[in-house]
Amino acid sequence: MYWQPEIETLPRTEIKNIQKDRLAKILEYCYQKIPFYREKFDEEGVKPSDFEHLEDITKFPFTVKDDLRKAYPYKMFAVPLKEIVRVHASSGTTGQITVVGYTKNDIEVWSELMARTLVACGVTEDDVVQNAYGYGLFTGGLGFHYGAERVGATVIPISGGNTKRQVQIMKDFGTTILTCTPSYSLYVAEVAEEEGVDLKKLNLKAGIFGAEPWSENMRSEIEERLNLDARDIYGLSEVIGPGVSVECEAKDGLHIFEDHFFVEIIDPETGEQKPYGERGELVITTLTKEGIPVVRYRTRDLTVLNPEPCSCGRHFVRMAKVTGRADDMLIIRGVNVFPSQIEEILMQIEGVEPHYQILVYREDHLDVLEVQVEVNEKIFSDEVKRLLEIESKIKQEIQSALGVSSKVKLVEPKTIARSEGKAKRVIDQRVI
Amino acid sequence: MFVKQVSVFLENKEGRLYEVCHVLGDAGINIRALCIAETADYGVVRMIVSDPEKAISVLRNSGFTVSETDVLAVVVPDKPGGLAQVLRILKDAMINVEYLYCFIEPGTDRAIDIMRVENTEAAINVLKDGNVEILTPAEVYGI
Amino acid sequence: MSIWSPEYETMPEEQLRELQLKRLRWVAHWVYERLSFYRKKFDEVKLRPEDITSLEDLKNLPFISKDELRKNYPFGMFAVPLDNVVRIHSSSGTTGKPVVVGYTRGDLNTWSEVVARIASAAGVKKGDICQIAFGYGLFTGGFGLHYGLERIGATVIPVSAGQTERQINIMMDFGSTVLVCTPSYALHLAEVAEGMGVKKGDLRLRVGLFGAEPWSENMRREIEERLGIFATDNYGLTEVIGPGIAGECQERNGLHINEDHFLVEVINPDTGEAVEMGESGELVFTSLTREAFPVIRFRTRDLSRLIPGSCPCGRTFVRMERVKGRTDDMIIVRGVNIFPSQVESALLEIEGVEPHFQIVVDKKGHLDELEVRVEVEEAFFPDAMRKLVEFQKKVEDKLMASLGVRTKVTLVEPRTIGRTAGKAKRVIDKRMY
């Protein structure tokens, strides 16, 4: 099923023509409207008019997350604030947040792309969509919300958490589509079992899962336990949010909406472009964004592109499921967390010494972020309530800055292994 | 009048308490009284020992997180209502007891209560006025 | 200040009543034909929709209560098939089941329109940067304001609730000009901001759209003083539409009710009789344009009064005074409606909990804090902290799942909660407004 068949089934040659026209325009737009790009292009001695063929894109410099951070809050906006109708942002301590703005037209495009995504997963206006992605500055919740509304489905904007209630509503409201992170869907299955609710007997039809890596094994488990068709989606707030690519019924790679995004694969070390079929870092240029367009944005996500025609009839290039990162970013329950952010938070708390360790594991299918902090004599007290206060302070600060809950564990000194004098900061025990 | 209590941070897992006692034993330090305040993940071990300074130093050398707290050692008659009598004095003076643990002095009919109170100075004054005997550090360590 | 829809908001009285009558007849037909619940009510008093020839005729119909809506859980009160429903929200129920409300595309359009009106009346315009600190989700607060402000063309920052320091950083760095939250949260923000060393001059706040809980003129002054903001009140409830039923204009002498969409009555809560214009009583609403979830004579349990006379702002819509209280035992905690009976039914499902509890509502700083004291059966009192903490968490999770708001659970010994004449005093509300 297609939402916009005339576009989604365009032959590759035509897709490439559209991309060429739009790339030329967006490079000019960025150069004219955003000082950052003008300076950067000038530095590299490249002009928008140097772009004539798709291959010419490699003449242009990359944009990295740090560039967006430094532009905090509005320096990457290509239009006056008055034209921005929505602002989203990534989590992070001040100065680490990336802010993205959308014009009315950006919201329109985003809704269309999410409608394509949902329809590719089989959603129609008869469906009841339980949207368990978190709402707020995070793009997941509102992205799905506007897409499902565009399709005309019934939206239950339940947001994340409160799993017993999720199960109750799934049963009582006859939910047909579940949208959340893949690991959360397994947790929902777990809670449903505890509550004596047989998910297989409910109306669930499809699950649209994203915001974290997952495997084919997990897919089989989810499909088996929830009795639904489990699809993967991909997106990132710097580019638009969810709505960059989606799996069709063939479940053999995620179709990238190439009329709005131009993608490349590069060697993360050298920055050299790699041919189709080779694994590397995904780089995206937005073709139609007005609020914050990005040129050659390095996602740090590792994947492979496949341009072969697909049985679904779409000719959009497919990317393999993202299974790794080119940096140390962690994804905790769909939230992106950098170890450096946690370190920064700990350093700001009086008396806490830099002996800490971040442990990530799964408990009942859900990610747990455990921060172990060695107790030194500055924070130790004979009164238990003081120790509890420190724990809860660290927890609160992490929640406040990163938007993710954590487990803080005070441990005895020197229990955290030090290798060659330097502690191993992150231990990720998850098996995806 | 303050007695030094030694407190140690311990994770709530097997063998840790043994480790503390073992270290103290090796150093020839006697534990007079001990109590544990526990949470789900860790505990605070509070002790009165024969030589607090030495205890702190050997524990630190063994890598434990240690602190020293001023507490009161109060003599309580070892009979029904003995402790209540003492606590009544504090209650009347509106002094809150943070925690308390006690032990019985061998060969005597008196119990010794280790108390941590909100306002130690004030507590000493009212207890003395109420004719409650407060032990000196030397007396406690030497028991 | 600009009036968003002058053709309606300043409509001459006579014309407005005509429009209301026309719409009342429409909604009467709509519910009569589609919902047996309403057909029965009409038939009982032998009234047919076409018999309605004046607004007075509405008074022949019985009231409907929240409990009746709840009994039709989940979709029994939807007047359209589910495939025409594009959104679902829900409000808390008195016991267990919530009231589920549905919206058609047309209803969402109406909702955005009425919220755009109250936001404009408060002074919001395109170019404003609006920080929405209401929770998004099944609660109508976040989405109601979100769509209304989007309609105006303002910049919406959908921060959602919580993470106060982050809210303040965003407020400063993003240059927010409009703040949307509960009044008590506004004061909490002010307090935390001061603690962070933020000066009034560091903020660009201009207009506050506050609602979802009762507040006083004193609180208004304090909020305005500390945040340098023009603070306005608005009113709504999920069963009728959500926020957007009424809002203050620049005069701030009452909240204009969007009368072209909502017909208001004020009754004596004991007798059900209409009170005189200007007298206090319980608000009763009839939705005139809702398609998916129409309500006829819904008793809100909110106490207020209508203000006679015209308003200098030019709007002809009648004004209601800010809500002064409730006629039932519902309490509002951080904007969330809670019934003591809900707490009771949740606790009864947990093994080891005695059916004796007490709800203590207090303010910590400016924020509501909900504490539930629960008596635990002796046999269940664990001696190890680890087990005690687990048990407490279990009770907290259960309450969170059923109330949708975090509670602090305090386990107390059996027979320690005071009983008056055999029955425990269930709620202790220590808050002052």
Side-chain angles (χ1 to χ4, degrees):
Chain A
M1 270 191 293
Y2 312 113
W3 175 248
Q4 292 168 301
E6 68 290 356
I7 296 170
E8 294 181 65
T9 57
L10 280 176
R12 283 211 72 70
T13 47
E14 282 195 46
I15 294 172
K16 286 192 170 171
N17 282 336
I18 292 174
Q19 288 192 319
K20 201 178 71 164
D21 290 350
R22 291 185 170 174
L23 262 176
K25 275 190 203 131
I26 205 78
L27 290 168
E28 182 66 35
Y29 181 78
C30 287
Y31 189 78
Q32 295 299 338
K33 307 266 185 180
I34 308 170
F36 166 83
Y37 286 106
R38 173 177 292 254
E39 278 162 32
K40 216 151 173 212
F41 289 8
D42 286 350
E43 248 170 57
E44 300 279 323
V46 59
K47 292 188 300 298
S49 58
D50 294 338
F51 178 85
E52 284 173 36
H53 309 284
L54 284 181
E55 298 71 44
D56 295 332
I57 192 72
T58 55
K59 295 176 186 164
F60 292 83
F62 293 115
T63 307
V64 296
K65 189 168 175 79
D66 223 31
D67 295 326
L68 299 186
R69 281 183 183 146
K70 281 184 197 141
Y72 179 85
Y74 297 145
K75 289 198 275 293
M76 280 289 185
F77 286 17
V79 297
L81 208 48
K82 210 176 166 161
E83 300 308 316
I84 297 290
V85 298
R86 179 89 62 77
V87 173
H88 281 281
S90 70
S91 58
T93 44
T94 312
Q96 295 231 351
I97 303 176
T98 36
V99 181
V100 287
Y102 300 76
T103 63
K104 205 168 178 171
N105 190 52
D106 290 337
I107 295 286
E108 177 65 27
V109 169
W110 193 16
S111 304
E112 283 291 304
L113 293 180
M114 283 311 295
R116 277 190 201 172
T117 300
L118 289 153
V119 169
C121 298
V123 178
T124 71
E125 62 175 12
D126 295 334
D127 279 305
V128 178
V129 179
Q130 183 161 341
N131 189 12
Y133 281 108
Y135 284 83
L137 288 180
F138 170 64
T139 48
L142 284 168
F144 270 94
H145 182 95
Y146 274 65
E149 191 166 287
R150 177 61 56 100
V151 173
T154 308
V155 184
I156 310 172
I158 190 160
S159 197
N162 212 338
T163 311
K164 278 187 192 172
R165 195 169 182 210
Q166 301 265 6
V167 171
Q168 186 76 43
I169 280 179
M170 198 171 280
K171 179 170 145 240
D172 295 346
F173 292 12
T175 302
T176 59
I177 309 290
L178 174 64
T179 59
C180 60
T181 59
S183 55
Y184 189 66
S185 76
L186 281 175
Y187 182 63
V188 168
E190 198 95 1
V191 171
E193 271 162 38
E194 276 166 27
E195 298 286 297
V197 174
D198 186 356
L199 291 183
K200 290 187 188 177
K201 291 203 179 117
L202 303 189
N203 295 346
L204 289 173
K205 191 172 94 180
I208 311 175
F209 304 123
E212 68 181 15
W214 52 311
S215 63
E216 285 303 323
N217 277 342
M218 248 177 106
R219 187 195 321 256
S220 322
E221 192 182 345
I222 292 170
E223 293 193 333
E224 158 65 24
R225 293 180 70 178
L226 285 90
N227 190 27
L228 50 66
D229 186 12
R231 302 287 186 85
D232 192 15
I233 58 144
Y234 175 79
L236 61 168
S237 65
E238 293 84 351
V239 172
I240 196 163
V244 173
S245 65
V246 64
E247 278 181 335
C248 62
E249 59 271 25
K251 293 189 210 175
D252 184 20
L254 292 78
H255 288 282
I256 295 170
F257 299 129
E258 288 182 284
D259 52 333
H260 294 280
F261 308 105
F262 178 78
V263 295
E264 306 165 67
I265 292 288
I266 62 161
D267 179 327
E269 303 297 326
T270 64
E272 290 295 314
Q273 206 183 57
K274 289 181 142 191
Y276 284 139
E278 280 190 35
R279 183 176 150 96
E281 180 181 339
L282 184 69
V283 171
I284 302 178
T285 301
T286 60
L287 298 176
T288 51
K289 281 270 295 280
E290 296 175 345
I292 299 197
V294 287
V295 174
R296 301 195 86 200
Y297 182 72
R298 292 187 61 163
T299 65
R300 307 309 255 158
D301 287 320
L302 301 175
T303 185
V304 185
L305 295 182
N306 172 10
E308 294 306 313
C310 178
S311 56
C312 76
R314 287 179 186 79
H315 297 118
F316 289 146
V317 74
R318 281 170 287 167
M319 59 186 269
K321 266 174 175 300
V322 171
T323 47
R325 293 275 306 171
D327 60 10
D328 62 353
M329 187 183 87
L330 297 164
I331 302 180
I332 312 287
R333 273 165 272 139
V335 180
N336 300 344
V337 174
F338 290 91
S340 59
Q341 293 174 318
I342 293 177
E343 174 157 332
E344 197 184 328
I345 289 163
L346 291 176
M347 295 305 162
Q348 283 164 2
I349 296 172
E350 210 179 335
V352 175
E353 265 185 73
H355 290 304
Y356 70 91
Q357 192 165 49
I358 299 164
L359 231 69
V360 191
Y361 52 89
R362 284 205 163 136
E363 216 169 65
D364 290 335
H365 302 286
L366 285 191
D367 295 338
V368 179
L369 171 68
E370 178 174 314
V371 181
Q372 297 189 341
V373 178
E374 287 189 3
V375 171
N376 59 37
E377 291 183 7
K378 269 189 229 148
I379 58 172
F380 178 54
S381 159
D382 64 310
E383 285 177 63
V384 170
K385 64 181 175 199
R386 303 258 174 269
L387 295 171
L388 291 174
E389 277 166 18
I390 295 209
E391 276 188 348
S392 83
K393 185 167 167 84
I394 298 175
K395 248 187 259 184
Q396 272 174 20
E397 298 280 323
I398 291 176
Q399 174 76 50
S400 173
L402 307 180
V404 66
S405 61
S406 59
K407 205 171 184 173
V408 172
K409 209 165 178 177
L410 298 181
V411 298
E412 291 174 34
K414 317 236 163 40
T415 44
I416 293 170
R418 286 150 173 83
S419 45
E420 292 161 26
K422 208 177 168 238
K424 185 163 163 38
R425 291 296 181 213
V426 182
I427 298 177
D428 193 340
Q429 298 168 333
R430 291 174 294 186
V431 180
I432 305 290
Chain B
M1 294 311 261
F2 301 147
V3 173
K4 300 284 179 208
Q5 170 190 267
V6 177
S7 306
V8 186
F9 178 86
L10 282 188
E11 284 172 42
N12 196 348
K13 62 186 186 201
E14 68 281 0
R16 298 309 298 154
L17 186 57
Y18 160 79
E19 197 59 37
V20 171
C21 299
H22 179 70
V23 166
L24 293 176
D26 276 0
I29 297 164
N30 210 343
I31 301 171
R32 300 287 172 223
L34 178 149
C35 93
I36 298 176
E38 111 258 34
T39 70
D41 293 321
Y42 55 83
V44 176
V45 180
R46 303 165 183 145
M47 294 176 288
I48 301 298
V49 297
S50 56
D51 184 346
E53 307 235 323
K54 190 171 170 196
I56 288 170
S57 120
V58 296
L59 286 168
R60 272 196 187 136
N61 289 340
S62 305
F64 289 101
T65 301
V66 191
S67 78
E68 190 185 80
T69 317
D70 291 335
V71 292
L72 291 177
V74 175
V75 176
V76 176
D78 187 14
K79 63 171 191 203
L83 179 57
Q85 227 176 327
V86 174
L87 291 178
R88 187 190 179 92
I89 297 172
L90 294 173
K91 173 184 143 218
D92 289 345
M94 310 263 285
I95 293 171
N96 185 33
V97 179
E98 290 287 344
Y99 55 78
L100 172 157
Y101 51 105
C102 51
F103 60 105
I104 299 185
E105 192 179 353
T108 69
D109 59 355
R110 56 184 204 171
I112 295 167
D113 277 30
I114 304 296
M115 288 185 188
R116 166 91 193 256
V117 292
E118 254 171 11
N119 184 340
T120 321
E121 300 284 348
I124 290 176
N125 289 334
V126 296
L127 289 171
K128 276 188 170 164
D129 289 349
N131 292 319
V132 175
E133 190 187 342
I134 300 173
L135 296 184
T136 63
E139 285 173 303
V140 177
Y141 308 146
I143 286 167
Chain C
M1 226 24 81
S2 75
I3 295 177
W4 182 255
S5 294
E7 66 278 31
Y8 291 104
E9 293 178 77
T10 62
M11 192 178 262
E13 161 112 30
E14 207 174 308
Q15 220 179 312
L16 179 59
R17 299 298 161 232
E18 254 171 56
L19 177 69
Q20 284 186 320
L21 178 60
K22 192 177 123 204
R23 289 182 169 177
L24 178 64
R25 287 170 61 91
W26 173 83
V27 76
H29 274 107
W30 185 259
V31 298
Y32 190 83
E33 284 153 21
R34 288 153 187 261
L35 292 166
S36 59
F37 172 86
Y38 282 108
R39 192 177 313 128
K40 262 187 234 147
K41 296 220 164 205
F42 277 70
D43 289 348
E44 267 165 34
V45 296
K46 303 206 167 29
L47 184 80
R48 297 188 51 85
E50 54 271 27
D51 298 338
I52 297 176
T53 52
S54 83
L55 292 173
E56 285 298 303
D57 291 334
L58 179 66
K59 298 208 163 72
N60 296 320
L61 284 167
F63 298 111
I64 60 169
S65 67
K66 189 175 176 116
D67 253 359
E68 288 175 284
L69 298 180
R70 196 177 60 79
K71 279 188 195 127
N72 285 285
Y73 176 89
F75 302 145
M77 295 298 281
F78 285 13
V80 299
L82 204 54
D83 50 349
N84 290 334
V85 172
V86 295
R87 179 87 63 74
I88 288 177
H89 282 284
S90 85
S91 78
S92 55
T94 46
T95 53
K97 301 286 180 224
V99 176
V100 180
V101 297
Y103 300 76
T104 62
R105 223 179 255 289
D107 290 334
L108 287 188
N109 189 36
T110 303
W111 196 11
S112 306
E113 158 76 18
V114 292
V115 174
R117 288 183 192 170
I118 60 158
S120 295
V124 180
K125 47 190 194 301
K126 183 177 162 86
D128 269 314
I129 301 170
C130 310
Q131 182 161 347
I132 300 183
F134 267 139
Y136 283 66
L138 290 180
F139 169 63
T140 48
F143 279 107
L145 271 301
H146 179 99
Y147 276 68
L149 293 166
E150 187 166 279
R151 174 67 58 93
I152 288 180
T155 308
V156 176
I157 314 177
V159 189
S160 194
Q163 301 191 47
T164 307
E165 289 190 14
R166 185 165 196 230
Q167 299 268 7
I168 291 158
N169 283 326
I170 284 173
M171 202 176 286
M172 262 194 310
D173 298 346
F174 293 21
S176 304
T177 58
V178 175
L179 175 63
V180 179
C181 60
T182 59
S184 56
Y185 192 64
L187 275 180
H188 178 64
L189 280 169
E191 188 148 299
V192 174
E194 282 156 25
M196 288 163 70
V198 175
K199 304 268 181 311
K200 226 176 3 179
D202 299 335
L203 302 175
R204 290 185 54 213
L205 289 177
R206 219 165 55 71
V207 178
L209 288 165
F210 303 125
E213 66 180 16
W215 53 312
S216 62
E217 281 306 315
N218 277 341
M219 260 177 97
R220 163 140 51 200
R221 270 192 293 277
E222 195 180 341
I223 293 171
E224 297 201 324
E225 170 56 31
R226 294 173 76 172
L227 287 173
I229 204 170
F230 184 77
T232 63
D233 190 18
N234 65 74
Y235 173 79
L237 63 167
T238 305
E239 292 84 354
V240 178
I241 198 162
I245 295 176
E248 282 181 330
C249 63
Q250 300 294 298
E251 302 297 325
R252 296 192 296 186
N253 180 23
L255 293 76
H256 288 281
I257 297 171
N258 281 303
E259 286 189 276
D260 53 336
H261 294 286
F262 312 106
L263 186 64
V264 63
E265 298 170 76
V266 182
I267 61 162
N268 176 324
D270 297 322
T271 64
E273 296 293 320
V275 302
E276 293 291 316
M277 177 63 181
E279 296 288 309
S280 292
E282 180 181 336
L283 293 174
V284 171
F285 284 105
T286 297
S287 67
L288 296 175
T289 51
R290 288 294 303 280
E291 295 170 340
F293 197 88
V295 286
I296 307 280
R297 303 198 89 197
F298 177 69
R299 289 189 64 159
T300 63
R301 298 289 178 183
D302 284 325
L303 293 172
S304 178
R305 69 178 197 100
L306 299 183
I307 302 172
S310 61
C311 182
C313 77
R315 287 177 186 80
T316 50
F317 288 162
V318 71
R319 288 164 295 165
M320 58 180 263
E321 218 167 54
R322 62 173 59 198
V323 173
K324 284 279 180 285
R326 298 273 308 168
T327 67
D328 60 9
D329 60 354
M330 186 183 91
I331 44 178
I332 303 180
V333 177
R334 273 171 268 144
V336 179
N337 300 345
I338 290 169
F339 293 91
S341 50
Q342 261 178 296
V343 174
E344 179 162 23
S345 55
L347 291 178
L348 286 178
E349 290 174 32
I350 306 170
E351 200 186 4
V353 172
E354 296 263 10
H356 294 292
F357 67 95
Q358 193 163 51
I359 298 170
V360 183
V361 199
D362 201 354
K363 292 223 181 231
K364 193 179 173 187
H366 293 286
L367 283 191
D368 295 339
E369 234 188 19
L370 181 66
E371 181 189 352
V372 179
R373 295 185 183 152
V374 182
E375 287 189 9
V376 182
E377 274 176 50
E378 253 155 315
F380 270 85
F381 231 120
D383 71 320
M385 272 307 276
R386 202 189 293 250
K387 292 212 177 99
L388 204 59
V389 169
E390 273 168 22
F391 187 74
Q392 183 181 347
K393 196 174 173 306
K394 187 172 155 191
V395 180
E396 280 177 348
D397 287 351
K398 180 79 200 173
L399 289 174
M400 174 72 198
S402 102
L403 308 179
V405 63
R406 270 268 152 232
T407 54
K408 179 181 165 214
V409 168
T410 308
L411 304 179
V412 300
E413 294 164 48
R415 293 172 301 281
T416 50
I417 291 171
R419 278 113 166 119
T420 40
K423 209 179 165 218
K425 186 161 162 42
R426 290 291 187 223
V427 181
I428 300 177
D429 197 335
K430 298 178 175 170
R431 295 173 294 186
M432 306 260 276
Y433 295 106

